Amino acid sequence: MSKGYEFGSILMLLALFTFSDATSQTVNQELSNIFNELWKLDVNRLKAGTDYKITLQGKARYIPHGSTSVVDRASSPLFTRVDETKLNSITTYACFIKLLDNYERSTGVAERVTAEEVTENNSFLDAILETAVMKRAYRYLVEKGKSHSDLKLFKSQLYYMWFRLYHRDRSGGEDSSGFEHVFVGETKFGREIMGLHNWVQFYLQEKQELLDYKGYKANELPNEDDHVLNVQFSWHGLVKPVASAFIGVSPEFEMAIFTILFLTSTEKSTAAVVNLDVYQLEMVVHRHGHSIGTAYPKLLRTNNRRKIIHCGEQSDKMTIHSQFMAEPLPNCQSMKKVAPF
């Protein structure tokens, strides 16, 4: 027996719990690789249970788009606590939060961007470009020939993609941008919520009692330390039947992955399946010309089921955290599932 097995005969391995799904798409391994690099570099990602706490409560029921009649399966907010002192002490979050009140909520109402708001936009881009996450994303895009090696030109590219105003509702002036749609949220004709895929905005709107969490949307109960969730909520009296968002991740991480997905495709709509940490996601981006129309993660499954592999007779149990399916160990006799961690 090898030295690694001398002191134990029962090993607990964390592995992917695989599913057979005839409709599953091929995983984009290249995007998975770069996104996992960025995930590991995201030192500003907040820690569940420490920096914030959520309570999932009930599973939301199906409602059609446009409906305002919904059964509330959550009597309490999704976020029960967020360490705002820490949030505001991190430059990228602090700059990000300043942008959230710069927009008209309704489409059809022209946006008026002040000089102060332009400065805030640039300060946010400057802040994220200083992070390891965006530096790695930038290098990747330059290597792929999708961005210029001049950092100033890359910043201009980011500004055009995310902050350029355009018409979403043709009845009014320039009323939307990629940043507003994805991170802030909009309403259409007073009947529909569009966008709002950001956890910080979700929390702040809950805190102001403008947003009401209705429950999670998943076949199985998610974990309260999950970093990606599908949820249902109401906002300013309108209901979003299902929305998806990262939880706890930094603004620079989301900007980086959606920018990469946008720039590495020329399709009007792009959907790529990726394995990110313990999550399998469908990453979606729609373009509006040379700007972001929308971008969001769709949670397909969480590969966080544990399997126990028995090898030998008796020993203390040891837990090994691994992102990928482990190969069976020599002399393993049996395997069984245990509850999700």
Side-chain angles (χ1 to χ4, degrees):
M1 181 177 291
S2 67
K3 185 176 180 180
Y5 305 130
E6 287 179 359
F7 302 102
S9 58
I10 301 178
L11 299 180
M12 191 181 287
L13 298 179
L14 178 69
L16 299 180
F17 187 71
T18 56
F19 298 80
S20 60
D21 183 355
T23 63
S24 64
Q25 301 177 49
T26 302
V27 171
N28 187 315
Q29 195 56 54
E30 181 177 352
L31 287 178
S32 296
N33 291 342
I34 184 61
F35 288 175
N36 276 287
E37 280 191 58
L38 300 177
W39 181 265
K40 292 173 184 177
L41 290 170
D42 190 16
V43 296
N44 288 334
R45 183 170 62 249
L46 300 193
K47 295 179 176 61
T50 301
D51 301 322
Y52 68 91
K53 181 176 175 55
I54 64 173
T55 176
L56 293 163
Q57 302 165 79
K59 179 179 178 180
R61 296 179 179 174
Y62 168 80
I63 61 169
H65 281 278
S67 175
T68 57
S69 177
V70 58
V71 176
D72 194 342
R73 305 301 302 278
S75 59
S76 301
L78 174 63
F79 287 92
T80 58
R81 180 178 61 82
V82 173
D83 185 345
E84 290 194 36
T85 300
K86 180 168 185 176
L87 202 67
N88 290 307
S89 71
I90 300 172
T91 303
T92 54
Y93 284 100
C95 290
F96 174 81
I97 290 170
K98 288 182 179 179
L99 307 182
L100 299 179
D101 63 354
N102 289 352
Y103 297 95
E104 295 286 347
R105 186 173 69 253
S106 299
T107 58
V109 179
E111 298 287 351
R112 301 189 184 279
V113 182
T114 67
E116 181 183 7
E117 289 170 351
V118 171
T119 298
E120 289 175 348
N121 292 343
N122 280 298
S123 295
F124 172 66
L125 291 180
D126 288 338
I128 65 173
L129 286 169
E130 287 294 318
T131 66
V133 170
M134 280 303 292
K135 286 179 179 178
R136 178 65 186 102
Y138 174 45
R139 290 201 310 273
Y140 177 83
L141 289 167
V142 171
E143 291 165 4
K144 300 291 289 185
K146 302 301 181 180
S147 294
H148 200 280
S149 58
D150 185 326
L151 183 60
K152 290 182 180 179
L153 293 179
F154 179 56
K155 180 184 172 183
S156 296
Q157 185 181 32
L158 289 175
Y159 199 104
Y160 194 89
M161 285 171 52
W162 287 101
F163 294 108
R164 179 185 73 89
L165 294 179
Y166 52 73
H167 294 269
R168 197 174 290 274
D169 182 343
R170 294 295 179 183
S171 64
E174 294 178 331
D175 58 352
S176 187
S177 70
F179 185 91
E180 178 187 8
H181 183 92
V182 175
F183 295 105
V184 183
E186 305 174 285
T187 59
K188 183 178 181 180
F189 306 133
R191 298 194 300 268
E192 180 183 353
I193 299 169
M194 301 191 302
L196 211 169
H197 298 287
N198 178 259
W199 75 272
V200 176
Q201 171 71 338
F202 194 106
Y203 161 68
L204 292 173
Q205 293 294 293
E206 267 197 328
K207 182 182 176 181
Q208 297 176 58
E209 299 184 349
L210 299 173
L211 186 152
D212 185 12
Y213 170 64
K214 301 298 184 183
Y216 67 88
K217 293 287 289 184
N219 291 328
E220 296 183 357
L221 178 65
N223 291 325
E224 294 188 347
D225 60 354
D226 279 347
H227 281 290
V228 192
L229 291 176
N230 296 334
V231 299
Q232 185 179 100
F233 64 89
S234 64
W235 187 46
H236 292 279
L238 304 176
V239 177
K240 187 145 190 176
V242 59
S244 53
F246 287 105
I247 306 294
V249 304
S250 70
E252 58 265 31
F253 176 79
E254 292 192 77
M255 289 285 286
I257 60 173
F258 291 135
T259 295
I260 287 174
L261 187 61
F262 179 84
L263 290 177
T264 54
S265 173
T266 58
E267 301 295 324
K268 184 172 179 61
S269 298
T270 300
V273 175
V274 300
N275 289 328
L276 177 63
D277 193 56
V278 297
Y279 311 102
Q280 185 166 96
L281 310 172
E282 183 179 40
M283 302 295 298
V284 179
V285 164
H286 297 279
R287 63 180 59 242
H288 194 289
H290 294 289
S291 299
I292 298 277
T294 188
Y296 56 89
K298 179 181 177 183
L299 179 62
L300 301 180
R301 61 180 65 109
T302 303
N303 300 312
N304 64 352
R305 301 288 184 177
R306 282 190 290 184
K307 294 183 180 181
I308 298 178
I309 301 178
H310 296 274
C311 306
E313 297 178 357
Q314 59 182 1
S315 175
D316 293 333
K317 293 181 179 180
M318 178 173 64
T319 301
I320 300 176
H321 190 101
S322 171
Q323 178 186 342
F324 303 103
M325 176 68 76
E327 292 295 329
L329 295 177
N331 303 319
C332 291
Q333 302 299 318
S334 63
M335 180 183 292
K336 69 176 180 179
K337 277 192 302 181
V338 296
F341 66 87

